[in-house]
Amino acid sequence: CGWSQQQDGVNCAAGNTISYNATTGVYTATSANCLYGPPFTADETSFAQRTLCGNGSITARVTGINPLATGWAGIVMRESNAPGAKKAQLMTNLGSDHRREFRTTTNGASQPQQFQSLNRYWLRINRVGNQFTMLVSSNGINWFPVGAQNIVMSQCIQIGLVTTNYTANSTVTATFANVSFTGSNPTAGTSI
């Protein structure tokens, strides 16, 4: 349906996989030894991706992180699969914290910012032109903005699901449900 997986994620070693269960509609992402830290100029994440051309959005509900609160799981819009690509990324640890990241220049620092999750584990990023807006929800109906940034990106970008670790030598598995998107895609329809 237009989804693919970057082999070993973005800038990670072997052991990073993402699977989809068509019966339940659940994505499962495993991130092994996949960590990025200061100065946050090169990402390391597992990544299930699809192409978005022009305006659109991606939405997902993070339903599990195992072991709990040992990593980050969420959604991203990024210019390419390069580790230093420009991006807007919204993640949760499925505990008390969310994390938003914007990289406005290629190979620049993304400067992650943490904020309280308030049990809002539905995540959404909207793109309108070069404006990227992040929203969270507890029920998928009522949405609250948590960040916005103007980032000049190509017309066609990569959107998808990401998982990364808290520590360098660890494995974390995350599950995602209610994954949907809007916007144009050169190889598939507009919803799953």
Side-chain angles (χ1 to χ4, degrees), residues 5-13 16 34-36 42-49 76 78 80-85 87 89 103 158 161-164:
Q5 178 187 350
Q6 178 80 0
Q7 184 176 0
D8 298 328
V10 174
N11 199 30
C12 293
N16 291 274
C34 209
L35 168 74
Y36 64 102
D43 301 328
E44 290 188 20
T45 62
S46 63
F47 187 30
Q49 68 193 72
V76 68
R78 56 187 302 128
S80 72
N81 292 325
K87 69 173 181 177
Q89 184 167 282
R103 182 177 292 120
Q158 299 300 307
L161 310 174
V162 291
T163 306
T164 191

Side-chain angles (χ1 to χ4, degrees), residues 5-152:
Q5 178 187 350
Q6 178 80 0
Q7 184 176 0
D8 298 328
V10 174
N11 199 30
C12 293
N16 291 274
T17 61
I18 298 183
S19 62
Y20 174 67
N21 185 319
T23 303
T24 63
V26 171
Y27 290 79
T28 302
T30 299
S31 174
N33 306 324
C34 209
L35 168 74
Y36 64 102
F40 298 102
T41 55
D43 301 328
E44 290 188 20
T45 62
S46 63
F47 187 30
Q49 68 193 72
R50 62 181 304 111
T51 301
L52 170 69
C53 293
N55 298 336
S57 68
I58 182 166
T59 302
R61 178 169 60 100
V62 179
T63 56
I65 294 179
N66 186 23
L68 184 61
T70 58
W72 296 100
I75 55 177
V76 68
M77 290 188 172
R78 56 187 302 128
E79 192 165 44
S80 72
N81 292 325
K86 291 183 274 188
K87 69 173 181 177
Q89 184 167 282
L90 178 61
M91 298 185 293
T92 181
N93 67 3
L94 212 56
S96 62
D97 296 320
H98 285 340
R99 187 164 99 176
R100 65 180 160 249
E101 300 179 36
F102 297 107
R103 182 177 292 120
T104 58
T105 59
T106 302
N107 298 320
S110 62
Q111 301 174 351
Q113 298 172 322
Q114 290 183 204
F115 59 99
Q116 288 185 326
S117 67
L118 303 174
N119 296 315
R120 297 171 176 163
Y121 302 124
W122 289 72
L123 310 177
R124 176 177 289 167
I125 303 175
N126 291 327
R127 179 194 193 187
V128 178
N130 292 322
Q131 185 72 16
F132 295 82
T133 304
M134 299 176 169
L135 304 106
V136 296
S137 174
S138 60
N139 56 16
I141 299 169
N142 303 312
W143 291 90
F144 300 89
V146 293
Q149 181 69 48
N150 190 48
I151 309 172
V152 178

